[in-house]
Amino acid sequence: MIRRGEKVPVHVTIIMDGNGRWAKKQGLKRIFGHKAGVESVREATEFAAEQGVKFLSLFAFSEENWTRPQDEVNMLMELMVDAILKETPSLVKNNIKFRVIGDISKLPQNVRDKISSAERETFGSTGLTLIIFLSYSGKWDILQAAAKYYSNKGKIGEMPVSEEFEKFLSTAGIPDPDLLIRTSGEQRISNYMLWQTAYTEFYFPEVLWPDFRKNHFRQALDEYSARERRYGKTGEQVNNL
Ligand code: IPE
Ligand code: IPE
Ligand code: MG
C-alpha cells in the first residue's frame, strides 16, 4: 500500500551487512547467517514492490569479499545459485525483473549460467527491478567505465562530460539510489556505488541483516520521507520549487 503524502524513493539500495555477527550470536558458523539472510532478501523485495519502489538493489558480494576464506566464498556462491534457482518462478509471477551487476567474469560458470537464465526469464517483467551487486566495487565500475569511454568516444586529454561518462557505468539506465540502507550499524560505503551515491540519503540501522524485516524497511522509508534533499541549494530555494 502506497502511503499518501509520503515521498517514496524510486531506487533503494541496501548493503546487507551483519550475517556473520548474527550467526556468531547464536553460536553458529558464519554461513548460517548468510542462509538466514535469504529470507530477509525475500521480505525486502516483497515490501519494496508493495510500496511502489521501482528499483531495489542489494550489495551481496563485493570485490574485496573474494579475499574471505575459500570455504565461505564457495558456500556463498552455492547459496546464491540455490536462491536464484528457487526464487526465479516467484519473480516471474510477481512481475519482477532480475539483474546482476558486477565483474561477472570472476564468477564460477555455473553461477553465471543461473544468472543469465534468471535475467532472461524475467526480462519482460515491468514491475520492480531487483538488482544484485555481485563481485562489484565502485572503483572497478569507474575504471571499467573510463576504459570504455576512452575507447568509444572520449579524446585523451579532454575531461568527459558527466552525463556522457555515466553511460558507461555498469548502472547505466538505472537512476541513482535515493536511499542507501546499511544494516548492522556500520557506517561506511565499503567501495560500493561510489559515483552513483553522490546525492543519496544514507540510513544506518543497528539491525543485523538476517533480522531485517518489513518494519525496519518501513522505518527507513519514513525517515527518508522526512528528509529534505537540497542538492547544494538553500532550504528556501528547495521549498519554493
Ligand atoms: C554481509 O555479512 C554479507 C557479505 C558481505 C557477503 P557479513 O558476512 O559481512 O557479516 P559480518 O559483517 O561479518 O557480521
Ligand atoms: C560490504 O560488507 C559488502 C557486502 C555487504 C556485500 P563487508 O562486511 O564486506 O564490509 P567491511 O569489510 O566491513 O567494510
Ligand atoms: Mg560485514
Side-chain angles (χ1 to χ4, degrees), residues 159-202:
M159 197 159 95
V161 177
S162 182
E163 289 74 20
E164 286 304 315
F165 181 76
E166 283 176 342
K167 292 179 185 163
F168 295 92
L169 289 171
S170 63
T171 49
I174 299 167
D176 287 344
D178 299 294
L179 171 65
L180 178 146
I181 303 168
R182 181 174 187 152
T183 57
S184 86
E186 305 295 355
Q187 303 190 6
R188 55 178 170 267
I189 195 82
S190 298
N191 202 2
Y192 191 32
M193 286 192 262
L194 299 177
W195 177 284
Q196 298 87 338
T197 53
Y199 267 101
T200 301
E201 294 294 326
F202 288 72

Side-chain angles (χ1 to χ4, degrees), residues 16-22 30 34 60-61 65 68 72 76:
M16 307 182 288
D17 201 10
N19 296 353
R21 277 163 283 167
W22 183 91
R30 296 178 55 83
H34 300 314
F61 193 87
N65 288 149
R68 289 196 178 191
E72 181 170 346
L76 267 168

Side-chain angles (χ1 to χ4, degrees), residues 88-105:
T88 306
S90 78
L91 295 177
V92 174
K93 186 168 150 259
N94 293 308
N95 197 22
I96 296 168
K97 191 171 182 154
F98 178 79
R99 281 194 59 185
V100 169
I101 290 180
D103 188 358
I104 301 301
S105 68

